[in-house]
């Protein structure tokens, strides 16, 4: 045999053994005797979000060639499919968490309740997204129609994923929620933690580099540009030096605020309603309503 | 039946009805009695751009195994396919706009004229891209060959999409043009509005976070680094408080300018030829030729 | 025939001829008489990295439904497949470089040696990635488990690609290495040159806009946030005005350093161990161990 | 360039020219000046039949995981999709025939009427297929349940295709009908011309080699085995020596007839009701009701 | 809306209602109140058989590029995958049957036992298939190598499916077994019921139209040609006029028999060892060892 | 871990070892010390034939939407692709045979010569296929146009594969040729050995069960129906009892012969020109020109 004589040197068998030992050590360190249950699948979640988006906007994001007569069947079948698959993914998360905590649970049953309450909020999501699209159309001189906004703007991709992920985060599926957020992050460069609370008519223009933290609260009619950070100033540690997880540490942005590109706003501060925060501003204290904050000028 | 008893709670039928009502309200608010015509497809446009790139650089970006004898057939067939599909997408945009404006038009005929003039400019695009590749090779100490630049550099992906999108923007297909720009934006983090005018030998290094606005004009031999913004300072509103769309509001960057990472340049100002703009600089006024602008230093 | 009468105007034949002439001119300018050999394929490399990731973390990133009994077969087969395909891609790079340099070489043989030494380092990569995952888990208050980190965090995607690419860069395959780095860059917005040297327990949070240069050296237990640049201050030119390629021009970051979002650190400077660099800081000089550098405040 | 030096001998260009000349001669011989319009697509028709089968038997042949709540949406959406695609295929056939005959027609409009009448007969098809399934279940000692029959038996595949194709044949789409019949022929070895008329409760066991001609008429409750031919005895020619097309030339098989494997029945004869035709029988004359025909024995 | 005005006539909603009613009637007639459980999937089974074939003959039917070092990993992973998927399909059959019979069962547990015993017999299948391949090579003057036989001969495809299906039939999964048999039937025109018992060194040449019944028993070193039937002479009915299912009704063919094309052998008769049955012979009685049976000649 | 506890019983490791031993025994019996080289791939060959068919009939079997301007590029690129892939498959066969015979050869070079001579005969194949299509159109009262014949008739699929396979058989690639023949056999039930020589204007109607042997010679304007066999009467053995391979053993059918369904014609006999052989006739002796042979009648 003359094919691939070099292959003899790759030593697959030895590699397989080493990698097995490393996996076992890793499980042992984490005090797990067994393989953990399976995690949800990013690929599945990506399809589920695409299906939900198609069900919410069938004429724009659904299959080509839908007729008036056929659109409701498309919506119904697509929802049914998406919700069934979401159910499976949620059950995976619930099982995973329960196993980590050594709890028993009826993952299918609990996931079913989650899906039902999630589904019931889909019309509300559509209403909110209509306000977001309108805000983008009105806020960008380059936008020619709301339809262009829906199919082109990365800010819409990000907020669509967020509004769906946020409901799941609230419902007790933070891992699935986070995975959905990261799908949008990868595609748009906009990183919104699913825990963030965001009001209607929200618009992010350009968007690359935007970061919005887990406990941020954003009012209605807020507009952000690229590279804006709504972050934490510091991370509190407990008496053992471990990070305290989950406490309120990100800004509150009230209604009708505009934050220009590159602004960095850190900590549990309040940006008063109607304020404008200039580009590249670094802000770590609250500002009252209708403030106009701008950066010191560069030297020339 | 014991499978999915929980499914009974998802209430698909009720959701379908609610979503239909929301769609109808949304159309009514926009004073449309009927479903709008179909929009162009991002997925289709993505394939078209890949085909055009393969036709422009068949040995680098075409199918593996092309022979000298076969390459022209590959180029001809790939062009024919790409242009036919582009024709369909352009006709969709033309129909969409005509319907919004209540106009009649021969969408197929007009799209055909557009495609013909677009096709005629492809050799010019290839020439420009060769200058861009050479600029990247000369401008980055890490680049080892022009071929590496073509297959690796996100800045090349962005300018390739832009040079194609810009022709379509000029030809009267701003929506298709924008969708092509967003394909590059999603993949590279570089957001170039298709309206921007960009000269030969253009190089963006790293690129994530770059934003170049609709009316920006960039000369020859210009180099940008990541997170540079060429944006608008303010958006003018008309007497009704609506944004004025389309007026010149972004910078003019003359030949041989270098702009370092994070610089923010806003408004219809002129960066004189041969200037260097330092990293993180915030600039809202014109500077003469051969200026060197740098940021105030951080405190230590 | 009434179909596509407009098509007659596209003049494919003329386009094909023009594009051929441009290709020939381009080769002539680069003093190549013949088509260069094929380059490695980004699509193939993307699959190879996915396979290697699956072999390193089969229970998390492998196929669903793996059993304890089957996991080693999966790992062995996946490794074998990935390494065989990697072998082909490396041989393409070696042939390409040899042809440019007019050298003869046994590309298959040399690639085989490269793959063997690459394979032998995979267990080390797994160990390093375990430290990275742990660092992310401990460094982010929003992280709930190391498993969530592995499947969600773009910083982990970036470092996984980097640790594999870096070995190939060191082994003499800089093009394949760079292509792997750009796959991660496109997906995460994190741009780590494969030449950069990075110690264990490395964590990038959010990550969009991070740039780490070719000659950067990063110690153990370093944490970066989004939009941090570890770049070059200037590019040296030789007596002919050509860029000097490959010299040390990026920062050295010692152990236990934290660099907050938007900080720009340029040139071959040293950030002493245990230092903290604040958000948006612009730094072009070395700082001693345990420094705390922060930006001047914005005006309000 | 050392790759594929041998390729120089393939002479693609010369082949392309020769093949073009042959195409043009072929069109000229058929007195066509132009390319004919496109024909329907076998691949598309294959998908359409699969969709119609799934709509008729959603729980057996539809997607996995359908719930009671979701099944009607699946059926509606699948029907809508299948009928839209069928509409396109029928319009292709109508255009093709009209162009051959030099006629003008509203292909979309006529195809739409065809689809409407086809759709209206789908419930009837389902009823007939239920009788066919029941007949197979009752007629084969190896069948364990009607569900097994539906998913296993090639005779059911053949009759399902036939019952759909026959409606289209009657409606004036003989080409689409024939293409559907050939899809079943390829998969089952059962060749039923779509013109054949077949009553309820029809069962073909094994089936390979069965041929049923265009003008055959088969009553209710008829059973056939493999390799049965219901064919023409001779083909009539007109005064010019051309075949007369379309006249009745195949057998009439009345109700409750069984025809065993390999029997060959030729010409416009009548097999009286309740008859049994033995294996390998060669029959070219009518037989009265309740006949039992068997072959002469082989010598031993 | 001007698109598809004709679509208004398709009346999807009415169709959906009618089809639902027909489904409900069909279930009611079969005295089922609920949807039956899902059936096994032909598509899944087709993949499983391809995987098992690849595991049995990895160098011939496995993935390209297998190395000596990698082949066992390929075999192990492919087996693991195939057996896991087979387990699911078997559980579907068991559930289906149990539900029809109103029984409770541990389908996963029983399927697991089935798979274990099936797996244990795979080496035996490989040994038998080696004898079949050798028989084909020796029996066909056109065969050039055993490898050609394995990749070309439809008779090998058929016996490979049969030997796997027969084990499952014996193990109590007649539906999955039948579905596997029909996959081979569709691809080869050879219809072997999975219940048939077939000895080593079995060869079918050409094969189209061969039918072998459920209770046939075939010895060692038997050769068949196309269109041979080993069928039942009559079907017994019970006192209620229902077919008696499962009784021995097909021929016994002893060792070293050759049966030429088109021969029809019916009923529970015995073809004595070493016999030759001529082409087109019709045989319904036993013949002793070493018989030579031929057809009466045709007239000329 | 509670998932798949039953999996523990599948004993994959033991199976892998047993299967390895069987593979090694099988190689040893065939006196091969090493794995044989790879065989050609049926899947690849199937794609190659589809591409060649598309190049021969681009308007009928090519991609949809070809324009007059684009068709030659399509043909050229498709040919180039098909011939390159065919080159690889032929080289695999040549290597395989050389290794079996312990010969050295330049497989790439020899395959290249084969492909060149194969390519040069493609126009001849197109001419022959045009005569076949015309013969089918004229010979079947159900055929409405030559285009319908090309896209519908299994006899055309079979002869298209045969005419290509026969050239390769003659050129010294009998394995690739046979694999192509079996692709057609599987799809149509028509089994033509690639060695058979077949004149112009050949038509097989229905076709299932037709078998044409390796050394058959068929003249011009011959028509066959389903289940016709042109086979060998007996296989000669040499002094060692081994089959003599390759000698002339199948019928010669002269011009203008019609052979009806089910006729079996065996041995190196001659069917004189202009003869008609009736259905189910069994014929093992030559017949003079213009004979009319028919079967004895069945008893009634």
């Amino acid at each position: 045999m003359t094919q691939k004589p070099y292959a003899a040197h790759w030593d697959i068998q030895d590699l397989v053994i080493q990698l097995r030992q490393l996996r076992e050590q890793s499980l042992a360190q984490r005090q797990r005797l067994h393989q953990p249950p399976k995690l949800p699948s990013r690929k599945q979640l990506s399809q589920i979000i695409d299906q939900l988006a198609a069900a919410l906007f069938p004429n724009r994001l659904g299959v080509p060639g839908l007729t008036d007569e056929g659109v409701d069947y498309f919506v119904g079948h697509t929802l049914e499919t998406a919700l069934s698959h979401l159910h499976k993914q949620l059950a995976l998360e619930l099982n995973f968490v329960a196993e980590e905590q050594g709890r028993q649970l009826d993952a299918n049953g609990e996931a079913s309740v989650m899906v039902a309450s999630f589904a019931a909020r889909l019309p509300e999501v559509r209403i909110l997204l209509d306000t977001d699209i309108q805000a983008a159309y009105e806020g960008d001189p380059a936008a020619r129609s709301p339809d262009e906004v829906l199919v082109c703007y990365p800010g819409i991709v990000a907020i669509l994923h967020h509004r769906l992920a946020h409901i799941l985060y609230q419902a007790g599926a933070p891992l699935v929620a986070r995975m959905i957020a990261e799908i949008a992050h990868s595609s748009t460069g906009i990183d919104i933690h699913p825990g963030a609370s965001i009001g209607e008519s929200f618009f992010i223009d350009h968007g690359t580099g935007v970061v919005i933290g887990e406990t941020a609260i954003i009012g209605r009619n807020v507009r952000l540009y690229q590279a804006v950070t709504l972050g934490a100033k510091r991370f509190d540690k407990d008496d053992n030096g471990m990070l305290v997880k989950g406490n309120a540490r990100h800004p509150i942005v009230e209604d009708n605020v505009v934050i220009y590109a590159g602004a960095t706003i850190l900590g549990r501060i309040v940006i008063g309603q109607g304020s404008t925060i200039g580009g590249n501003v670094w802000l770590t204290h609250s500002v009252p309503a209708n403030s106009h904050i701008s950066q010191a000028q560069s030297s020339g």
Side-chain angles (χ1 to χ4, degrees), chain A:
Chain A
M1 188 186 67
T2 56
Q3 285 187 307
K4 299 207 184 172
Y6 44 83
H9 306 290
W10 295 355
D11 250 338
I12 301 283
Q13 192 166 11
D14 189 48
L15 274 176
V16 168
I17 292 167
Q18 285 186 63
L19 289 174
R20 167 176 280 275
Q21 288 167 346
L22 290 171
R23 286 200 307 275
E24 287 169 354
Q25 284 167 26
S26 173
L27 287 172
Q29 277 173 350
R30 292 160 61 192
Q31 293 169 304
R32 297 184 106 144
L33 299 178
H34 305 299
Q35 286 179 34
K38 293 294 156 198
L39 289 167
S41 152
R42 179 167 176 154
K43 194 172 158 192
Q44 287 292 314
L45 290 171
S46 180
Q47 289 178 353
I48 290 165
I49 297 297
D50 287 350
Q51 288 164 342
L52 291 172
L56 290 172
F57 298 96
N59 292 316
R60 293 285 147 261
L61 305 179
V63 293
L66 279 180
T67 60
D68 241 10
E69 194 182 16
V71 67
D72 280 355
Y73 290 109
F74 170 76
V75 170
H77 178 54
T78 304
L79 277 177
E80 163 76 15
T81 305
L83 295 175
S84 292
H85 291 174
L86 181 60
H87 178 266
K88 282 182 205 154
Q89 299 300 313
L90 293 174
L92 286 171
E93 174 167 355
L94 292 172
N95 266 325
F96 182 81
V97 173
E99 197 271 358
E100 276 200 319
Q101 302 174 343
R103 282 195 294 121
Q104 294 287 328
L105 94 167
D106 169 17
N108 275 345
E110 290 198 18
S112 183
V113 172
M114 270 190 193
V115 171
S117 75
F118 172 80
R121 292 183 63 184
L122 286 173
E124 169 196 334
V125 169
R126 163 77 204 229
I127 291 168
L128 285 169
L129 289 172
D130 278 343
T131 68
D132 298 327
I133 292 166
Q134 191 63 21
Y137 174 60
E138 291 174 0
D140 180 8
R144 278 168 182 74
S145 77
D147 297 294
E148 177 186 353
V149 167
L150 177 55
V151 297
C152 281
Y153 277 49
I156 294 299
V157 171
I159 192 67
L160 185 150
H161 283 71
H162 175 72
R163 296 209 183 280
L164 297 169
H166 183 58
I167 297 175
L168 296 169
Y169 178 90
Q170 291 181 311
L175 177 55
V176 162
R178 178 68 184 265
M179 293 174 82
I180 292 170
E182 286 299 334
I183 291 165
H185 184 193
S186 176
S187 147
T188 65
I190 299 170
D191 181 355
I192 310 178
H193 194 285
S197 169
I198 302 181
E200 68 184 45
S201 300
F202 181 65
F203 173 41
I204 299 175
D205 202 4
H206 308 300
T208 311
V210 164
V211 175
I212 300 176
E214 183 176 17
T215 63
I217 298 172
I218 297 177
R220 288 174 294 176
N221 203 29
V222 169
R223 187 158 28 124
L224 306 186
Y225 289 83
Q226 69 270 23
V228 163
T229 297
L230 303 180
K233 193 167 180 186
R234 76 173 63 81
F235 299 152
D236 295 326
K237 298 191 178 183
D238 63 17
D239 298 344
N240 300 321
M242 300 299 287
L243 286 180
V244 177
K245 302 208 168 194
N247 60 330
R249 62 196 182 279
H250 301 100
I252 295 169
V253 178
E254 295 185 347
D255 296 352
N256 303 310
V257 168
V258 179
I259 307 177
Y260 285 102
T264 303
I265 302 175
L266 303 179
R268 190 52 159 195
I269 64 173
V270 178
I271 309 298
Q273 61 160 312
S275 294
T276 300
I277 310 298
N280 283 11
V281 162
W282 175 270
L283 193 63
T284 57
H285 58 267
S286 294
V287 298
N290 301 311
S291 302
H292 282 68
I293 311 295
S294 65
Q295 199 201 24
Q297 290 294 84
S298 295
S299 57

